[in-house]
């Protein structure tokens, strides 16, 4: 089964990204053919500076490598190293009804967030469809917010196949809902755009300080508390064993446990969880060439697959002789 996903180059990844997406990507690579790429063409819709775009791609790559991306099995590359995807995107645009894109909610959401209303942002789902279809992907693991884009991809692929004959593989989505939303420092969803994140590899002392300062309610220490309504408990749960989770649940319900104690343990558990990968991350930081080499190799492997699809697409559409 070919599993493909695109990762926005948003810079150093945070623990919400890890528990909500990366961990599943890394697990899926064991029993599938993993195809993961950094969506740098897509990132241009938010007009980052050239320096930022480059640095963010490197950071995402180093985070994935440090956490166990297996480059022997898994193909990992930068979207723009396979420019064929933009050709397919154009061809798909010509079978994509305007109404399909007008119904996509992400364009409006992003414009409401302050992104400029450019055509790239509007056509974003078509490029995403090309990403998925050019590699004949079977499964696309994404967060629930991306479900609509996978449906659009399926619609576009079916339209193409109906018009030109069975050429493109119809993918399935695989919604990553197994993990609850990871709360950020202010209690809202942890997100780069809210500035409330804990980066996976930020210095240990900083992780500790951030967690110790997290917002909680003001229930007195001696009172019983509801673990399911507590952000600190939600963090602790990510890295604690089932037995330990149960113990803390009991402590919450009984009363007598202060948030400070839970914060300390949550910080310790999260730091222990990521500690084995820190050294590898630090090594990669010092070896930019090795990181670029990984992207280069991945780009070549991905491009070979994409070129083959494009030969078929060019033939069936009449672009190829
Ligand atoms: P951000 O909100 O920081 O910009 P993205 O939207 O780029 O993060 O998210 C990338 C992936 O990480 C998505 O698949 C998303 O579902 C997952 N993710 C991001 N933040 C969280 C979170 N707080 N909890 C769970 N998953 C998350
Ligand atoms: N749109 C996805 C996001 O914002 C990133 C992405 C681009 C993607 N192309 C993709 C995801 C193809 C899955 C498949 O997170």
């Amino acid at each position: 089964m070919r599993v493909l996903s695109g990762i926005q180059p948003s810079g150093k990844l945070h623990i919400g990204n890890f528990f909500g997406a990366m961990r599943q990507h890394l697990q899926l690579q064991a029993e599938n053919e993993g195809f993961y790429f950094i969506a740098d063409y897509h990132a241009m819709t938010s007009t980052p500076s050239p320096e930022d775009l480059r640095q963010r791609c490197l950071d995402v790559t180093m985070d994935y490598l440090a956490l166990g991306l297996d480059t022997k099995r898994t193909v990992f590359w930068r979207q723009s190293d396979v420019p064929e995807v933009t050709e397919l995107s154009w061809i798909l645009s010509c079978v994509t009804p305007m109404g399909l894109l007008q119904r996509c909610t992400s364009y409006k959401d992003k414009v409401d967030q302050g992104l400029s209303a450019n055509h790239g942002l509007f056509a974003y789902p078509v490029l995403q469809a090309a990403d998925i279809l050019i590699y004949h992907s079977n499964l696309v693991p994404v967060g629930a917010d991306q479900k609509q884009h996978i449906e659009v991809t399926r619609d576009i692929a079916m339209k193409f196949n109906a018009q030109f004959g069975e050429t493109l593989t119809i993918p399935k989505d695989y919604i990553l809902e197994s993990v609850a939303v990871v709360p950020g420092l202010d209690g809202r969803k942890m997100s780069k755009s809210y500035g409330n994140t804990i980066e996976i590899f930020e210095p240990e002392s900083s992780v500790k300080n951030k967690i110790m300062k997290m917002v909680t309610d003001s229930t007195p220490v001696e009172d019983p508390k509801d673990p399911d309504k507590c952000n600190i408990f939600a963090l602790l749960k990510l890295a604690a064993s089932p037995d330990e989770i149960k113990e803390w649940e009991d402590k919450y319900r009984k009363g007598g446990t202060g948030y400070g104690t839970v914060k300390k343990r949550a910080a310790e558990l999260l730091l222990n969880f990521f500690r084995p990968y820190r050294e590898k991350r630090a090594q990669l930081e010092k070896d930019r060439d090795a990181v670029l080499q990984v992207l280069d190799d991945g780009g070549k492997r991905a491009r070979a697959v994409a070129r083959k699809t494009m030969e078929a697409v060019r033939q069936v559409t009449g672009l190829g002789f």
Side-chain angles (χ1 to χ4, degrees), residues 8 10 14 16-17 20-21 143 145 180-182 189-193:
Q8 281 269 4
S10 54
H14 55 72
N17 295 139
D145 60 321
V181 169
V182 177
K189 173 188 172 209
M190 185 176 288
S191 169
K192 186 110 179 163
S193 37

Side-chain angles (χ1 to χ4, degrees), residues 159-190:
K159 274 203 163 300
F160 183 97
N161 285 351
Q163 191 166 334
F164 298 111
E166 295 297 314
T167 314
L168 302 171
T169 304
I170 312 292
K172 280 212 181 81
D173 60 22
Y174 175 92
I175 302 298
L176 303 172
E177 279 172 329
S178 50
V179 144
V181 169
V182 177
L185 301 174
D186 55 1
R188 291 188 290 173
K189 173 188 172 209
M190 185 176 288

Side-chain angles (χ1 to χ4, degrees), residues 4-8 37 39 42 124 128 131-132 140 142 146 149:
L4 172 137
S5 197
I7 301 123
Q8 281 269 4
F37 67 93
H42 276 114
Y124 186 113
Q128 183 160 352
D131 289 329
I132 296 170
V140 187
V142 283
Q146 293 292 314
H149 289 169

